[in-house]
Amino acid sequence: MQSTVTPTHCPYCALQCGMNLTPAPDGTVEVSERADFPVNRGALCGKGRTAAAVLAPDVRLTSPLVRDESGTLVPASWDEALDRIAAGLGRTRAEHGPDAVGVFGGGGLTNEKAYTLGKFARVVLGTSQIDYNGRFCMSSAAAAGIKAFGLDRGLPFPLEDIPKSGCVILVGSNLAETMPPSLRFFTELKENGGTLVVIDPRRTKTAEQADLHLAPRPGTDLALALGLLHLVIAEGRVDEEYIRERTSGWEDARAAAMAHWPEYVERITGVSVPQLRETVRLFCEPESAMVLTARGPEQQSKGTDTVGAWINLCLATGRAGRPRSGYGCLTGQGNGQGGREHGQKADQLPGYRKLDDPAARAHVAEVWGVDPDSLPGPGRSAYELLDALGTDIRSLLLMASNPVVSAPRAAHIEERIRSLDFLAVCDVVLSETAALADVVLPVTQWAEETGTTTNLEGRVLLRRRAITPPEGIRSDLEVLHELAARLGVEKGFPTDPEEVFEELRRASAGGAADYSGITYRRLAEENGVFWPCPAAVEAVDEGEDALLDPPLPGGPAPETPDAHPGTPRLFLDRFATPDGRARFVPVSHRAIAEEPDDEYPVLLTTGRVVAQYQSGAQTRRVAELNAAAPGPFVELHPRLAARLGATEGDPVAVVSRRGRAVAPARITNAIRPDTVFMPFHWPGEGRANTLTNPALDPTSRMPEFKACAVRLEAVRP
């Protein structure tokens, strides 16, 4: 019998690379290239090529687990496990009120599951205490985008526009390791005569591809952007006509930038004035240019202002809302974009609606068949929710996240999780967080279920079921359906993903992230549909109409003549603000929350390596990936290593005000002498997030993962 080839998408990062899956006779699944998907054109990184390894029964969870009287997790039936969860959550709600129950989600959940989890929290549990790990991903860029443009979508243009630009400034991203298939767009950019500027404290594999690499001190990206804008003004490179016709608030932003003269910025950042001037020249001389940010500038206690400063640079030079130009954010998690659009985030309802907006509450409540007044208000952000565990929040339902490894000040968060009255976890593997739970439910994986995700371009995609899950495995939708019924809500939680998506379409209709014109049929026939995509062209409000542009050249026609084509490129005629103008937001440099001092004289920054993903809960179970990246390390400059007396491979202790981590030294000239780097994929003594600072951005509530003060200690035998 011939095996069926299923076209689908990778379960890992926000590229959502296309791939084909073929079940093999021995029960394994073969991954092969899928050249028709424009984001990766068949290319896959090591994580994508080995993604099917986690489907193996000896790697993943295959039975519900409950904690017995001795404190051991033991196999149990689904009924027993679900009954225990319903009893634990229900008891907390009855004794302490609905907000004593927390819900924590993940950026890897499909749109259908993220939507249902948000609905479950607010309709079944009645709690405001829901957020997700995507808060740790691009919340600062989202907040800055909404301030400036009135709308947040990771990239307001498709990736295929990057090679057509004249210059790209890439801030705080190591795409060669985090999203390898995307690097070809930047290679094509250079082949077409464009230039690439990479800003990173380390000379990464991505920085090696750049025409110009700037290595600022961690936490000074805000000053750097302001210094560049100062030079744009001083050198007469401002696009005055664009500012006059398409923006507001320029004078205040201009005044703020003029306070950051080049020599002052050089002292703050360590980037020389000639490098600043060369960056401005490369950015301003071509007809078009882009700025793309990632976690580097965003994971700071001033991340929103930092991204805002880069947006101001784009606006001042007329590089936003024009072809082959603009500001964009490189979303990290597989469905980090869709995960927050439809209700996992503490302050949002489906369609990217604000939870405190009466009209939004009324619309969504009507779809859900509930009284708008019954919906709780906004709750705590992700870190604040985790920090409240065991105190205000007594029980927690957690899906698709591993905060014991991924949260800042992780040892403290682990203590808070251990102090809960009750913890239930839904996951595909026994993560470090799941190992602490009272009940663990094994759920289906990407290849075993159908659902939609939204990639970093705002392209809604259909991930198709390719194989049948092992016996005893249920989907997250089935879990929420069963729990809702046990907690007294018999209807409104379907288990069929397409039925959920149809409801999501209605709930999102008219919202900023409008999916109402997208159907499973369209997604099966097209290579994704870009939101906003209202139900029909004639149904679009006049104020939204100018946001739209034609479908990508050569793309398939919509399924009906009046179907909306989707919106690959935003803002070409107007921005999503009430007056259609982009808004400058004046910002000024300020220090990171924790500057080095005599006791902690070195800066720590964190990030990823190519062979592991996020908290490593899945990739650390793949032999090929572990062989390539077997454990944590401390990257430090030779001068710093010499002062410490460390040689390559020696164990080094990194100590912050929050804890101590130990890992082998990796000595390289590719990092600043005042900075050390640690990847964050591992638990145990090498857990980088034991050290990181939970200082929060006042707007986005993003923790300051990217910069904190540490000291180094030699570890002697």
Side-chain angles (χ1 to χ4, degrees), residues 398-589:
L398 186 145
M399 284 187 167
S401 186
N402 189 18
V404 165
V405 178
S406 63
R409 198 185 173 195
H412 169 73
I413 295 305
E414 182 176 343
E415 290 176 1
R416 301 276 25 99
I417 290 172
R418 289 180 182 275
S419 71
L420 283 164
D421 294 346
F422 182 80
L423 171 64
V425 173
C426 300
D427 211 329
V428 300
V429 296
L430 191 66
S431 70
E432 287 72 22
T433 305
L436 304 180
D438 297 283
V439 181
V440 183
L441 298 181
V443 291
T444 49
Q445 297 189 53
W446 57 288
E448 301 163 347
E449 60 186 12
T450 294
T452 62
T453 62
T454 305
N455 82 342
L456 76 172
E457 306 165 296
R459 188 194 300 252
V460 184
L461 303 164
L462 184 64
R463 281 207 312 223
R464 298 165 174 85
R465 173 171 167 160
I467 59 173
T468 302
E471 186 177 353
I473 304 296
R474 299 187 185 182
S475 74
D476 295 287
L477 293 179
E478 291 175 298
V479 168
L480 294 172
H481 171 85
E482 293 289 342
L483 290 177
R486 283 167 167 79
L487 290 166
V489 181
E490 298 284 347
K491 297 181 179 179
F493 289 87
T495 60
D496 176 56
E498 186 169 8
E499 187 177 346
V500 175
F501 191 78
E502 288 300 304
E503 182 178 305
L504 184 156
R505 292 177 63 202
R506 299 195 303 274
S508 72
D514 191 334
Y515 283 29
S516 61
I518 305 174
T519 64
Y520 269 35
R521 176 185 165 192
R522 283 190 67 176
L523 295 177
E525 295 173 352
E526 305 177 34
N527 266 326
V529 177
F530 293 81
W531 70 261
C533 183
V537 173
E538 56 265 32
V540 181
D541 293 339
E542 181 179 349
E544 294 177 309
D545 191 47
L547 293 176
L548 311 178
D549 72 332
L552 293 173
E559 60 185 15
T560 59
D562 62 345
H564 191 283
T567 315
R569 298 173 183 86
L570 297 169
F571 314 139
L572 292 181
D573 297 314
R574 69 190 311 274
F575 295 93
T577 56
D579 61 3
R581 292 173 171 266
R583 296 173 291 214
F584 283 96
V585 179
V587 294
S588 296
H589 168 71

Side-chain angles (χ1 to χ4, degrees), residues 349-413:
L349 288 169
Y352 227 138
R353 289 180 161 88
K354 298 297 290 182
L355 189 52
D356 56 4
D357 176 2
R361 293 169 66 88
H363 173 85
V364 174
E366 183 178 6
V367 174
W368 288 350
V370 299
D371 184 339
D373 292 337
S374 71
L375 297 178
R380 293 176 173 92
S381 70
Y383 180 79
E384 292 165 304
L385 189 158
L386 294 171
D387 189 40
L389 299 180
T391 55
D392 294 347
I393 300 174
R394 311 294 292 269
S395 293
L396 181 69
L397 173 63
L398 186 145
M399 284 187 167
S401 186
N402 189 18
V404 165
V405 178
S406 63
R409 198 185 173 195
H412 169 73
I413 295 305

